[in-house]
Amino acid sequence: MTLARLSLTDFRNHAAAELVAAPGLVALHGDNGVGKTNILEAISLLAPGRGLRRAPLSDMVRDGAAGGFAVFAEVQPDAALPPVALGTGIEPAHPKRRIVRINGAAAAATALGDWLAILWLTPAMDRLFVETAGNRRRFLDRLVLALDPRHAQHGNRYEAAMRARGKLLTDLAGADRQWLASLEAQLAEHGAAIDAARQRALAALSAELAGQPDAPFARPLLTLVDAGGAPRDAPWTAEALRELFAERRRIDAAAGRATAGPHRDDLAAIHAASGRGAARCSTGEQKAMLLSLVLAHSDCVARARAQRPVLLLDEVAAHLDPMRRAALYERLAGQGGQAWLTGTEAALFEDMPGPVTRFRIAGGRIAPG
């Protein structure tokens, strides 16, 4: 997949911007604060979910604008096929409702995943392995979504059923037992689908990583674990989840939340070369493992969907030594697809193998170069 054209209207600091890019590497350079990451964030909204910053929609509207924003892209699935038009944004009258259009027709945000897979790595993710389990679950689910666009629908329905069950459990004695059982059946159905998709994605990713060397990027060993840190050896079945939720009604009512299930699982990683847990590794090793993981996952997506995901790599080059930077560029250029990279200096991208689309961002303007 290639983003052939990207247009932004009143998005963050960009009043009106248009970028035309070719397949291959896309380099965005400019001083801090000029809006490079904002462009990557806009692209990330062309996939299901809340984007790479997970920001409220209202925060994305340019200061001084009327209250809405728009992101539009022409996506080229194949040189022999016509481009697909993807658009998203909000209107001033409905600032909390995201609008999605595909080829001009209204669509659900989850439908974006059928057309475009997007992966990203940002400086905010550098400490993923020492942050909360929730952050790692969201990261894992983003990887799964690129392989299985239906994953978002199962996640949305699971969360909706979990919220509805939580409301019933606030008055367990007076709760409608039939309705409660129905909600738990929905939780079990979608929870089992979520878990199965995660297990498949991790198996494919682990196989891809196993065939890669430990250098120049650190190779992680990945495991799905439960809330207590024990490996999840067997997948959840719908029947097992129904029994689990029914057995834990009183526990969950007292806790005010569902205390067990796929929404409590975590992603564990070990540095393959040293055997240390990722949380105990240096910041540089953690970043290298993340980069290795994202690159391997790109290969998984290409294998599964017969098309490369669009990669968004924010300020990655600045934190790599020249040898690893050159290796990254060579790998990105060699694998095909399209990767968007940001950096403060044009010199960071001078040695990129072609083809390269270059943009300079300064003074609120985006220009080739």
Side-chain angles (χ1 to χ4, degrees):
M1 279 287 183
T2 297
L3 289 175
R5 183 162 72 92
L6 177 70
S7 297
L8 311 181
T9 302
D10 289 332
F11 184 83
R12 296 287 188 181
N13 68 319
H14 299 290
E18 183 160 323
L19 300 88
V20 177
L25 305 184
V26 182
L28 308 172
H29 67 90
D31 294 338
N32 290 325
V34 296
K36 303 184 300 295
T37 304
N38 294 343
I39 293 171
L40 300 192
E41 182 182 28
I43 295 172
S44 75
L45 294 178
L46 297 171
R50 294 176 57 185
L52 61 82
R53 285 190 176 108
R54 294 184 57 79
L57 293 170
S58 57
D59 287 0
M60 302 177 193
V61 180
R62 183 177 61 87
D63 291 344
F69 73 82
V71 177
F72 170 84
E74 286 185 356
V75 177
Q76 191 70 49
D78 185 272
L81 297 175
V84 177
L86 304 181
T88 190
I90 60 174
E91 296 176 340
H94 304 285
K96 294 183 179 181
R97 188 176 72 190
R98 182 179 175 191
I99 298 169
V100 172
R101 294 192 181 280
I102 300 176
N103 284 334
T110 52
L112 291 168
D114 294 328
W115 297 97
L116 190 62
I118 303 176
L119 305 176
W120 56 78
L121 192 57
T122 71
M125 297 166 62
D126 285 356
R127 293 180 60 78
L128 178 76
F129 297 120
V130 296
E131 291 182 343
T132 66
N135 285 344
R136 287 186 290 277
R137 271 194 306 276
R138 282 191 290 271
F139 175 75
L140 172 59
D141 286 334
R142 172 60 58 187
L143 301 183
V144 176
L145 183 60
L147 289 165
D148 182 0
R150 298 168 300 172
H151 190 63
Q153 295 178 345
H154 287 299
N156 291 341
R157 291 169 183 170
Y158 183 88
E159 290 179 7
M162 188 163 56
R163 287 194 299 269
R165 177 178 179 266
K167 289 180 181 178
L168 280 181
L169 291 181
T170 58
D171 180 17
L172 181 57
D176 183 329
R177 291 299 196 269
Q178 186 174 356
W179 178 232
L180 190 55
S182 175
L183 288 172
E184 289 170 349
Q186 293 177 45
L187 270 175
E189 175 191 352
H190 297 297
I194 289 168
D195 185 59
R198 287 173 177 169
Q199 299 275 9
R200 288 193 301 269
L202 279 181
L205 187 53
S206 295
E208 199 71 51
L209 286 165
Q212 297 186 5
D214 292 326
F217 306 112
R219 183 168 60 92
L221 304 176
L222 305 173
T223 311
L224 191 64
V225 300
D226 62 23
R232 286 279 326 286
D233 295 326
W236 284 112
T237 64
E239 181 180 358
L241 283 173
R242 279 197 302 271
E243 293 176 356
L244 176 76
F245 293 131
E247 290 171 356
R248 300 184 70 86
R249 287 175 183 174
R250 292 192 179 279
I251 296 172
D252 292 350
R257 57 186 173 86
T259 55
H263 63 285
R264 298 278 292 163
D265 286 345
D266 194 1
L267 176 66
I270 293 174
H271 188 284
S274 68
R276 290 194 305 272
R280 296 176 52 237
C281 292
S282 70
T283 302
E285 288 172 324
Q286 291 179 34
K287 190 178 186 80
M289 280 190 283
L290 272 173
L291 186 54
S292 179
L293 197 160
V294 168
L295 292 172
H297 188 256
S298 177
D299 291 337
C300 284
V301 175
R303 199 182 306 281
R305 297 183 60 165
Q307 59 183 224
R308 285 275 168 191
V310 173
L311 296 182
L312 310 177
L313 305 177
D314 192 21
E315 300 289 350
V316 168
H319 300 285
L320 296 175
D321 60 54
M323 184 271 291
R324 287 185 174 85
R325 190 184 307 145
L328 172 63
Y329 294 163
E330 198 67 36
R331 172 111 178 240
L332 292 174
Q335 71 183 16
Q338 192 181 54
W340 294 62
L341 298 91
T342 67
T344 55
E345 301 174 17
L348 290 170
F349 306 124
E350 284 180 351
D351 297 330
M352 275 184 165
V356 182
T357 305
R358 303 174 189 273
F359 295 101
R360 178 175 180 270
I361 306 173
R365 298 176 63 85
I366 301 173

